[in-house]
Amino acid sequence: MASELRDVLAAIKTALETVNGSGVYTHNLSDGDRVVYGAEVDPTRVPRVNLFDVGWDSSHGARLGYFERVSNVSIIGYVGASDDSNGSRFLAACDLLNDICRSLESDRTLGGEVRDIIVANSRAFDGAEWDLERLGAVEVVVTVNWSMKTGT
């Protein structure tokens, strides 16, 4: 049986995979391996989004037998640009940041898996900041509030 944390991460991944390049979305993350687990630097295929770091704080639940979890999930995304200028890479990253936030905030319970989420910290930037000359990049930290039953 997978842990509840894995279920939460899977729900975040599923939400990100709804980004399909149409309607309110600019980029397409829906075609297979665009959203992945684990760290990656300088991906060969873009756009690409990685869920790569998670931590949590716990407190006693409102009900006996439960813990309240507040998890911080770190996400990094990479995107190509229409040309190789700083401005183009930065603006493409801004569009990817918008896509990520919209997809996560469209259902703040992640399909009923959690109580609530919020994009706690985020930034879009020119990949040249990390020596990734051809890419724009985003960093996002999503704070997730959920409840976990104690014991077995």
Side-chain angles (χ1 to χ4, degrees):
M1 181 173 119
S3 69
E4 290 178 5
L5 179 58
R6 282 182 71 160
D7 293 341
V8 169
L9 293 173
I12 292 171
K13 184 176 185 289
T14 297
L16 292 169
E17 289 169 338
T18 65
V19 174
N20 61 9
S22 66
V24 298
Y25 299 120
T26 304
H27 299 288
N28 186 358
L29 302 176
S30 67
D31 68 344
D33 68 342
R34 299 290 182 159
V35 181
V36 296
Y37 298 117
E40 182 176 36
V41 178
D42 199 10
T44 56
R45 186 172 184 208
V46 292
R48 182 79 154 205
V49 174
N50 302 75
L51 285 77
F52 74 96
D53 187 41
V54 64
W56 75 38
D57 292 318
S58 298
S59 62
H60 294 286
R63 297 180 298 163
L64 187 60
Y66 287 85
F67 285 112
E68 298 304 312
R69 302 282 196 224
V70 177
S71 299
N72 292 306
V73 179
S74 297
I75 299 169
I76 184 125
Y78 304 97
V79 64
S82 58
D83 64 62
D84 198 31
S85 69
N86 294 8
S88 181
R89 292 187 301 261
F90 171 70
L91 292 174
C94 288
D95 289 339
L96 181 60
L97 177 60
N98 184 69
D99 288 349
I100 289 170
C101 292
R102 277 182 170 270
S103 69
L104 293 171
E105 294 167 345
S106 68
D107 174 7
R108 291 175 33 188
T109 69
L110 298 174
E113 194 66 45
V114 301
R115 264 201 201 91
D116 198 6
I117 65 158
I118 190 166
V119 176
N121 191 359
S122 62
R123 72 184 190 122
F125 56 97
D126 178 355
E129 187 174 318
W130 286 356
D131 294 326
L132 302 173
E133 295 297 330
R134 69 188 202 292
L135 301 174
V138 300
E139 292 178 313
V140 178
V141 176
V142 180
T143 299
V144 183
N145 180 287
W146 52 292
S147 185
M148 189 175 110
K149 188 169 176 60
T150 61
T152 57

